[in-house]
Amino acid sequence: MQNLFHTILLSEVNADYVFLDLPYYSNIGDALIWKGTEELLKTVPYKCLLRSSYQTFRYPELAEDIVIIMMGGGNWGDLYAPHNELRRNVVKRYPNHKIIILPQTVYYEGIRNARNDAKRFRQHERLTICARDKYSYRFLKAFGFCENILLVPDMAFCINVDELKRYCKLALHKDLIFQRVDKEKTGIEIVKGLTENYDVSDWPCYETTEPQAEHLYELIKDKKYQEADEYAMKTYLPARVRAGVGMISQYDKVFSNRLHGAILSILLGKEVYIFDNSYGKNSQYYDTWLRGFNNVHLLSRSRNFNVVRKCKFFIFWMLSIVDRIIE
Protein backbone atom coordinates (compact mmCIF):
# COMPACT_ATOMS: atom_id res chain seq x y z
CA MET A 1 0.00 0.00 0.00
CA GLN A 2 2.89 2.38 0.67
CA ASN A 3 3.63 2.67 -3.05
CA LEU A 4 0.03 3.69 -3.69
CA PHE A 5 0.25 6.58 -1.24
CA HIS A 6 3.46 7.86 -2.80
CA THR A 7 2.53 7.46 -6.45
CA ILE A 8 -1.12 8.50 -6.29
CA LEU A 9 -1.35 11.03 -3.47
CA LEU A 10 1.93 12.78 -2.77
CA SER A 11 2.16 14.31 -6.25
CA GLU A 12 -0.94 16.32 -5.32
CA VAL A 13 0.90 18.11 -2.48
CA ASN A 14 3.08 20.61 -4.34
CA ALA A 15 3.38 23.57 -1.94
CA ASP A 16 3.22 24.53 1.74
CA TYR A 17 -0.09 23.48 3.21
CA VAL A 18 -2.65 23.74 6.01
CA PHE A 19 -4.14 20.55 7.50
CA LEU A 20 -7.80 20.80 8.59
CA ASP A 21 -10.58 18.82 10.28
CA LEU A 22 -8.28 17.10 12.73
CA PRO A 23 -10.05 14.80 15.20
CA TYR A 24 -10.10 16.54 18.58
CA TYR A 25 -12.52 13.96 19.96
CA SER A 26 -12.46 10.52 21.52
CA ASN A 27 -12.36 8.19 18.49
CA ILE A 28 -8.90 6.61 18.47
CA GLY A 29 -9.51 5.33 14.95
CA ASP A 30 -9.48 8.88 13.61
CA ALA A 31 -6.33 9.58 15.62
CA LEU A 32 -4.70 6.67 13.76
CA ILE A 33 -5.71 8.24 10.44
CA TRP A 34 -4.21 11.53 11.60
CA LYS A 35 -1.00 9.83 12.73
CA GLY A 36 -0.58 8.04 9.42
CA THR A 37 -1.21 11.23 7.47
CA GLU A 38 1.40 13.13 9.47
CA GLU A 39 3.96 10.42 8.76
CA LEU A 40 3.25 10.51 5.03
CA LEU A 41 3.39 14.31 4.89
CA LYS A 42 6.84 14.26 6.53
CA THR A 43 8.12 12.88 3.22
CA VAL A 44 7.15 15.95 1.18
CA PRO A 45 9.51 18.98 0.99
CA TYR A 46 6.85 21.43 2.18
CA LYS A 47 5.81 22.89 5.53
CA CYS A 48 2.57 22.59 7.45
CA LEU A 49 1.60 26.19 8.22
CA LEU A 50 -1.50 25.45 10.31
CA ARG A 51 -3.30 22.49 11.89
CA SER A 52 -6.93 22.85 13.02
CA SER A 53 -10.09 20.94 13.83
CA TYR A 54 -13.59 22.00 12.87
CA GLN A 55 -13.85 23.51 16.39
CA THR A 56 -10.70 25.67 16.09
CA PHE A 57 -10.49 26.71 12.43
CA ARG A 58 -11.26 30.44 12.01
CA TYR A 59 -11.05 30.80 8.19
CA PRO A 60 -7.95 33.02 7.98
CA GLU A 61 -6.71 34.72 4.82
CA LEU A 62 -4.46 32.27 2.97
CA ALA A 63 -2.12 32.98 0.09
CA GLU A 64 -3.48 31.29 -3.03
CA ASP A 65 -0.42 29.07 -3.49
CA ILE A 66 -1.09 27.35 -0.13
CA VAL A 67 -2.60 23.86 -0.44
CA ILE A 68 -5.55 23.01 1.83
CA ILE A 69 -5.51 19.39 3.01
CA MET A 70 -8.53 17.96 4.84
CA MET A 71 -8.61 14.81 7.00
CA GLY A 72 -9.84 11.51 5.70
CA GLY A 73 -12.12 9.13 7.57
CA GLY A 74 -15.67 7.86 7.59
CA ASN A 75 -17.59 11.10 8.10
CA TRP A 76 -18.49 12.13 4.54
CA GLY A 77 -22.24 12.48 4.16
CA ASP A 78 -25.07 13.43 6.47
CA LEU A 79 -24.33 11.34 9.59
CA TYR A 80 -21.65 13.71 10.95
CA ALA A 81 -22.82 17.24 10.17
CA PRO A 82 -19.93 19.37 11.58
CA HIS A 83 -17.36 17.74 9.31
CA ASN A 84 -19.41 18.07 6.14
CA GLU A 85 -20.26 21.66 7.06
CA LEU A 86 -16.55 22.45 7.38
CA ARG A 87 -15.81 20.90 3.98
CA ARG A 88 -18.62 22.88 2.35
CA ASN A 89 -17.46 26.12 3.96
CA VAL A 90 -13.82 25.60 2.96
CA VAL A 91 -14.77 24.90 -0.66
CA LYS A 92 -16.94 28.03 -0.69
CA ARG A 93 -14.53 30.41 1.08
CA TYR A 94 -11.35 29.32 -0.72
CA PRO A 95 -12.49 29.05 -4.37
CA ASN A 96 -9.01 29.57 -5.85
CA HIS A 97 -6.98 27.28 -3.59
CA LYS A 98 -5.95 23.74 -4.31
CA ILE A 99 -7.96 21.56 -1.91
CA ILE A 100 -7.24 17.89 -1.23
CA ILE A 101 -9.75 15.85 0.77
CA LEU A 102 -8.03 12.68 1.97
CA PRO A 103 -9.60 9.17 1.72
CA GLN A 104 -13.20 9.10 2.86
CA THR A 105 -16.05 6.61 3.02
CA VAL A 106 -19.20 8.18 1.56
CA TYR A 107 -22.65 7.56 3.01
CA TYR A 108 -25.82 9.63 2.66
CA GLU A 109 -29.17 8.84 4.21
CA GLY A 110 -30.92 11.65 2.36
CA ILE A 111 -31.07 12.04 -1.43
CA ARG A 112 -31.46 15.81 -1.21
CA ASN A 113 -28.34 16.13 0.95
CA ALA A 114 -26.24 14.21 -1.58
CA ARG A 115 -27.57 16.29 -4.51
CA ASN A 116 -26.88 19.56 -2.72
CA ASP A 117 -23.34 18.56 -1.80
CA ALA A 118 -22.54 17.41 -5.34
CA LYS A 119 -23.69 20.77 -6.70
CA ARG A 120 -21.54 22.67 -4.20
CA PHE A 121 -18.36 20.67 -4.59
CA ARG A 122 -18.28 20.50 -8.38
CA GLN A 123 -18.20 24.30 -8.56
CA HIS A 124 -14.62 24.24 -7.22
CA GLU A 125 -12.13 23.87 -10.07
CA ARG A 126 -9.07 22.84 -8.02
CA LEU A 127 -10.62 20.19 -5.79
CA THR A 128 -9.30 16.64 -5.35
CA ILE A 129 -11.41 14.12 -3.42
CA CYS A 130 -10.00 10.74 -2.34
CA ALA A 131 -12.31 7.79 -1.79
CA ARG A 132 -11.12 4.91 0.37
CA ASP A 133 -13.31 2.18 -1.14
CA LYS A 134 -14.67 1.34 -4.58
CA TYR A 135 -18.29 2.11 -3.75
CA SER A 136 -17.43 5.61 -2.49
CA TYR A 137 -15.25 6.16 -5.58
CA ARG A 138 -18.07 5.17 -7.94
CA PHE A 139 -20.55 7.26 -5.98
CA LEU A 140 -18.42 10.42 -6.19
CA LYS A 141 -17.66 9.78 -9.87
CA ALA A 142 -21.22 9.05 -10.91
CA PHE A 143 -22.65 12.12 -9.24
CA GLY A 144 -19.91 14.47 -10.41
CA PHE A 145 -18.63 15.79 -7.07
CA CYS A 146 -15.47 16.99 -8.84
CA GLU A 147 -13.21 16.22 -11.78
CA ASN A 148 -10.26 14.73 -9.85
CA ILE A 149 -11.37 11.73 -7.77
CA LEU A 150 -8.79 9.21 -6.55
CA LEU A 151 -9.07 5.74 -4.99
CA VAL A 152 -6.64 5.65 -2.03
CA PRO A 153 -6.35 3.31 1.02
CA ASP A 154 -6.96 4.48 4.57
CA MET A 155 -4.17 6.76 5.80
CA ALA A 156 -3.62 4.71 8.97
CA PHE A 157 -1.64 2.27 6.83
CA CYS A 158 1.10 4.93 6.61
CA ILE A 159 1.95 4.50 10.30
CA ASN A 160 5.42 3.20 11.15
CA VAL A 161 4.73 -0.20 12.71
CA ASP A 162 8.04 -0.23 14.60
CA GLU A 163 6.92 2.91 16.45
CA LEU A 164 3.61 1.31 17.37
CA LYS A 165 5.35 -1.71 18.87
CA ARG A 166 6.99 0.50 21.50
CA TYR A 167 3.55 0.91 23.10
CA CYS A 168 2.58 -2.77 23.21
CA LYS A 169 1.55 -4.38 26.50
CA LEU A 170 1.90 -7.93 27.80
CA ALA A 171 -0.45 -10.53 26.35
CA LEU A 172 -3.62 -11.47 28.25
CA HIS A 173 -3.98 -14.72 26.24
CA LYS A 174 -7.55 -13.76 25.44
CA ASP A 175 -9.48 -12.60 22.38
CA LEU A 176 -11.14 -9.20 21.94
CA ILE A 177 -14.63 -8.57 20.65
CA PHE A 178 -14.24 -4.95 19.58
CA GLN A 179 -17.82 -3.71 19.73
CA ARG A 180 -18.62 -0.11 18.84
CA VAL A 181 -21.27 1.64 20.95
CA ASP A 182 -22.06 4.70 18.80
CA LYS A 183 -24.52 5.37 15.96
CA GLU A 184 -22.80 2.83 13.67
CA LYS A 185 -23.08 -0.10 16.09
CA THR A 186 -24.26 -3.58 15.15
CA GLY A 187 -24.92 -6.75 17.14
CA ILE A 188 -22.19 -9.21 18.07
CA GLU A 189 -24.24 -12.40 17.65
CA ILE A 190 -22.15 -13.33 14.60
CA VAL A 191 -19.12 -13.86 16.89
CA LYS A 192 -20.79 -16.34 19.25
CA GLY A 193 -19.22 -19.76 19.06
CA LEU A 194 -15.99 -18.50 17.46
CA THR A 195 -14.26 -17.72 20.74
CA GLU A 196 -14.74 -18.66 24.38
CA ASN A 197 -12.14 -16.64 26.27
CA TYR A 198 -12.70 -12.99 25.42
CA ASP A 199 -13.33 -9.41 26.52
CA VAL A 200 -15.89 -7.08 24.95
CA SER A 201 -14.96 -3.41 24.62
CA ASP A 202 -15.01 -0.29 22.47
CA TRP A 203 -12.06 2.12 22.42
CA PRO A 204 -10.99 2.83 26.03
CA CYS A 205 -11.78 6.54 25.67
CA TYR A 206 -15.47 5.67 25.35
CA GLU A 207 -15.40 4.20 28.83
CA THR A 208 -13.59 7.06 30.61
CA THR A 209 -12.54 10.64 29.83
CA GLU A 210 -8.77 10.89 29.99
CA PRO A 211 -6.83 13.94 31.30
CA GLN A 212 -5.44 14.89 27.89
CA ALA A 213 -8.94 14.99 26.43
CA GLU A 214 -10.29 17.07 29.31
CA HIS A 215 -7.49 19.59 28.94
CA LEU A 216 -8.00 19.87 25.17
CA TYR A 217 -11.75 20.37 25.57
CA GLU A 218 -11.14 23.11 28.15
CA LEU A 219 -8.80 24.96 25.79
CA ILE A 220 -11.43 24.87 23.05
CA LYS A 221 -14.17 25.93 25.47
CA ASP A 222 -12.01 28.91 26.51
CA LYS A 223 -11.44 29.78 22.82
CA LYS A 224 -7.68 29.28 23.14
CA TYR A 225 -7.65 27.84 19.65
CA GLN A 226 -3.97 28.17 18.78
CA GLU A 227 -2.98 26.63 22.11
CA ALA A 228 -5.49 23.83 21.55
CA ASP A 229 -4.05 23.08 18.09
CA GLU A 230 -0.51 22.87 19.49
CA TYR A 231 -1.54 20.72 22.45
CA ALA A 232 -3.51 18.35 20.22
CA MET A 233 -0.52 17.69 17.99
CA LYS A 234 2.16 17.39 20.68
CA THR A 235 0.25 15.66 23.49
CA TYR A 236 -3.28 14.55 22.61
CA LEU A 237 -2.44 12.66 19.39
CA PRO A 238 0.44 10.60 20.87
CA ALA A 239 -1.72 9.75 23.90
CA ARG A 240 -4.57 8.48 21.69
CA VAL A 241 -2.23 6.29 19.64
CA ARG A 242 -0.60 4.85 22.78
CA ALA A 243 -4.00 4.05 24.25
CA GLY A 244 -5.17 2.24 21.13
CA VAL A 245 -2.01 0.15 20.80
CA GLY A 246 -1.95 -0.61 24.52
CA MET A 247 -5.48 -1.96 24.32
CA ILE A 248 -5.28 -4.13 21.19
CA SER A 249 -1.73 -5.41 21.68
CA GLN A 250 -2.85 -7.49 24.68
CA TYR A 251 -5.13 -9.80 22.66
CA ASP A 252 -4.52 -12.81 20.42
CA LYS A 253 -7.44 -12.49 17.99
CA VAL A 254 -9.64 -9.45 17.35
CA PHE A 255 -13.27 -9.54 16.22
CA SER A 256 -14.18 -5.98 15.24
CA ASN A 257 -17.03 -3.93 13.84
CA ARG A 258 -14.81 -0.83 14.05
CA LEU A 259 -12.77 -0.43 10.88
CA HIS A 260 -9.76 0.97 12.72
CA GLY A 261 -10.00 -1.64 15.42
CA ALA A 262 -9.39 -4.03 12.54
CA ILE A 263 -6.73 -1.88 10.83
CA LEU A 264 -4.69 -1.38 14.00
CA SER A 265 -4.95 -5.11 14.68
CA ILE A 266 -3.61 -5.82 11.18
CA LEU A 267 -0.70 -3.43 11.74
CA LEU A 268 0.09 -5.24 15.01
CA GLY A 269 0.06 -8.65 13.31
CA LYS A 270 -3.13 -10.02 14.90
CA GLU A 271 -5.60 -12.47 13.39
CA VAL A 272 -8.57 -10.26 12.54
CA TYR A 273 -12.24 -11.02 11.99
CA ILE A 274 -14.29 -8.11 10.61
CA PHE A 275 -18.03 -7.77 10.97
CA ASP A 276 -19.86 -4.88 9.41
CA ASN A 277 -20.94 -1.56 10.85
CA SER A 278 -24.52 -0.34 10.41
CA TYR A 279 -24.22 0.82 6.78
CA GLY A 280 -21.59 -1.41 5.18
CA LYS A 281 -18.42 0.66 5.59
CA ASN A 282 -16.28 -2.23 6.82
CA SER A 283 -17.27 -4.69 4.10
CA GLN A 284 -16.71 -2.02 1.44
CA TYR A 285 -13.18 -1.43 2.68
CA TYR A 286 -12.50 -5.16 2.98
CA ASP A 287 -13.67 -5.77 -0.61
CA THR A 288 -11.46 -2.94 -1.91
CA TRP A 289 -8.19 -3.47 -0.03
CA LEU A 290 -8.11 -6.38 2.45
CA ARG A 291 -9.24 -9.49 0.54
CA GLY A 292 -5.70 -10.68 -0.08
CA PHE A 293 -4.45 -10.17 3.47
CA ASN A 294 -3.43 -13.26 5.41
CA ASN A 295 -5.27 -13.66 8.74
CA VAL A 296 -7.98 -11.10 7.81
CA HIS A 297 -11.52 -12.48 7.48
CA LEU A 298 -14.90 -10.87 6.77
CA LEU A 299 -17.61 -12.38 9.00
CA SER A 300 -20.68 -10.38 8.00
CA ARG A 301 -22.16 -7.72 5.76
CA SER A 302 -24.71 -5.15 6.85
CA ARG A 303 -28.20 -6.64 6.49
CA ASN A 304 -29.87 -5.72 3.18
CA PHE A 305 -27.13 -3.17 2.56
CA ASN A 306 -26.37 -4.28 -0.98
CA VAL A 307 -30.02 -3.96 -2.05
CA VAL A 308 -30.46 -0.57 -0.39
CA ARG A 309 -27.12 0.64 -1.74
CA LYS A 310 -27.95 -0.31 -5.33
CA CYS A 311 -31.37 1.36 -5.16
CA LYS A 312 -29.94 4.55 -3.68
CA PHE A 313 -27.11 4.57 -6.20
CA PHE A 314 -29.52 4.34 -9.13
CA ILE A 315 -31.82 7.06 -7.77
CA PHE A 316 -28.93 9.40 -6.92
CA TRP A 317 -27.35 8.78 -10.33
CA MET A 318 -30.55 9.61 -12.24
CA LEU A 319 -31.13 12.78 -10.21
CA SER A 320 -27.50 13.82 -10.63
CA ILE A 321 -27.82 13.58 -14.42
CA VAL A 322 -30.89 15.79 -14.26
CA ASP A 323 -29.07 18.30 -12.02
CA ARG A 324 -26.12 18.57 -14.40
CA ILE A 325 -28.40 19.00 -17.44
CA ILE A 326 -30.21 21.85 -15.65
CA GLU A 327 -26.92 23.45 -14.67
Side-chain angles (χ1 to χ4, degrees):
M1 285 192 187
Q2 292 294 330
N3 289 336
L4 286 172
F5 292 113
H6 286 273
T7 58
I8 296 176
L9 190 55
L10 282 187
S11 61
E12 299 290 326
V13 184
N14 57 2
D16 291 347
Y17 59 92
V18 297
F19 188 15
L20 308 182
D21 202 18
L22 303 182
Y24 297 179
Y25 46 84
S26 57
N27 190 334
I28 290 175
D30 288 329
L32 295 170
I33 297 172
W34 180 10
K35 174 66 173 174
T37 307
E38 293 285 356
E39 294 196 11
L40 183 68
L41 289 173
K42 287 178 184 177
T43 67
V44 300
Y46 306 106
K47 292 190 299 184
C48 183
L49 304 176
L50 173 69
R51 292 178 177 86
S52 290
S53 69
Y54 73 83
Q55 301 105 313
T56 62
F57 188 57
R58 301 293 100 184
Y59 301 94
E61 293 291 329
L62 298 174
E64 288 190 5
D65 61 342
I66 293 173
V67 178
I68 299 173
I69 300 175
M70 304 193 73
M71 263 280 293
N75 55 39
W76 186 295
D78 46 18
L79 283 186
Y80 301 97
H83 303 282
N84 234 33
E85 182 178 1
L86 177 64
R87 285 188 285 267
R88 288 193 294 262
N89 289 340
V90 167
V91 165
K92 180 179 179 180
R93 296 194 187 202
Y94 299 98
N96 300 314
H97 287 73
K98 185 173 190 176
I99 301 174
I100 304 168
I101 300 175
L102 295 175
Q104 282 278 351
T105 295
V106 177
Y107 177 74
Y108 285 93
E109 292 189 324
I111 293 174
R112 181 178 297 177
N113 297 330
R115 295 173 69 189
N116 289 341
D117 278 355
K119 289 178 184 178
R120 289 186 179 105
F121 286 115
R122 66 171 161 258
Q123 301 304 315
H124 199 288
E125 296 182 355
R126 302 185 67 197
L127 176 62
T128 295
I129 304 175
C130 302
R132 69 177 180 183
D133 61 78
K134 291 178 181 176
Y135 173 75
S136 298
Y137 177 81
R138 290 193 293 266
F139 188 104
L140 294 167
K141 278 277 192 183
F143 308 134
F145 274 74
C146 71
E147 290 294 323
N148 193 27
I149 299 171
L150 307 175
L151 180 62
V152 182
D154 188 271
M155 301 301 295
F157 278 104
C158 293
I159 295 176
N160 184 332
V161 175
D162 289 335
E163 181 178 349
L164 294 182
K165 289 180 178 178
R166 294 186 301 167
Y167 309 135
C168 289
K169 294 185 177 181
L170 294 176
L172 295 173
H173 303 296
K174 300 172 72 174
D175 296 335
L176 173 64
I177 297 178
F178 201 120
Q179 166 69 359
R180 68 187 306 155
V181 297
D182 61 6
K183 65 179 70 176
E184 297 181 39
K185 66 184 177 182
T186 51
I188 63 173
E189 291 78 11
I190 190 71
V191 181
K192 291 181 178 178
L194 296 178
T195 179
E196 295 181 353
N197 185 23
Y198 61 87
D199 292 329
V200 179
S201 180
D202 202 339
W203 291 121
C205 51
Y206 281 94
E207 306 296 330
T208 59
T209 302
E210 298 184 346
Q212 298 91 348
E214 291 181 348
H215 183 62
L216 179 59
Y217 302 156
E218 284 298 318
L219 291 173
I220 295 171
K221 181 180 177 181
D222 294 340
K223 299 184 179 180
K224 297 178 180 179
Y225 299 129
Q226 183 176 352
E227 191 175 341
D229 292 333
E230 293 174 356
Y231 180 81
M233 177 63 186
K234 294 178 181 178
T235 303
Y236 185 72
L237 173 59
R240 297 273 72 72
V241 174
R242 283 196 301 270
V245 174
M247 171 190 175
I248 287 178
S249 62
Q250 302 173 91
Y251 295 97
D252 299 331
K253 298 177 183 178
V254 177
F255 301 80
S256 180
N257 66 353
R258 273 201 182 275
L259 179 59
H260 285 88
I263 288 176
L264 182 54
S265 300
I266 292 168
L267 292 173
L268 294 174
K270 306 295 181 181
E271 187 163 4
V272 182
Y273 296 82
I274 299 171
F275 54 111
D276 229 341
N277 72 323
S278 61
Y279 64 84
K281 175 172 67 181
N282 300 346
S283 60
Q284 291 172 63
Y285 193 84
Y286 175 87
D287 289 341
T288 305
W289 301 111
L290 300 179
R291 270 189 183 276
F293 275 57
N294 293 328
N295 297 325
V296 180
H297 319 278
L298 181 66
L299 285 181
S300 74
R301 295 182 184 274
S302 182
R303 184 177 299 174
N304 298 325
F305 177 71
N306 284 331
V307 174
V308 173
R309 178 175 62 179
K310 289 176 182 177
C311 291
K312 276 190 173 183
F313 193 101
F314 179 74
I315 294 170
F316 286 6
W317 177 64
M318 293 296 294
L319 291 172
S320 178
I321 291 174
V322 172
D323 289 338
R324 278 179 278 180
I325 291 173
I326 293 173
E327 289 177 8

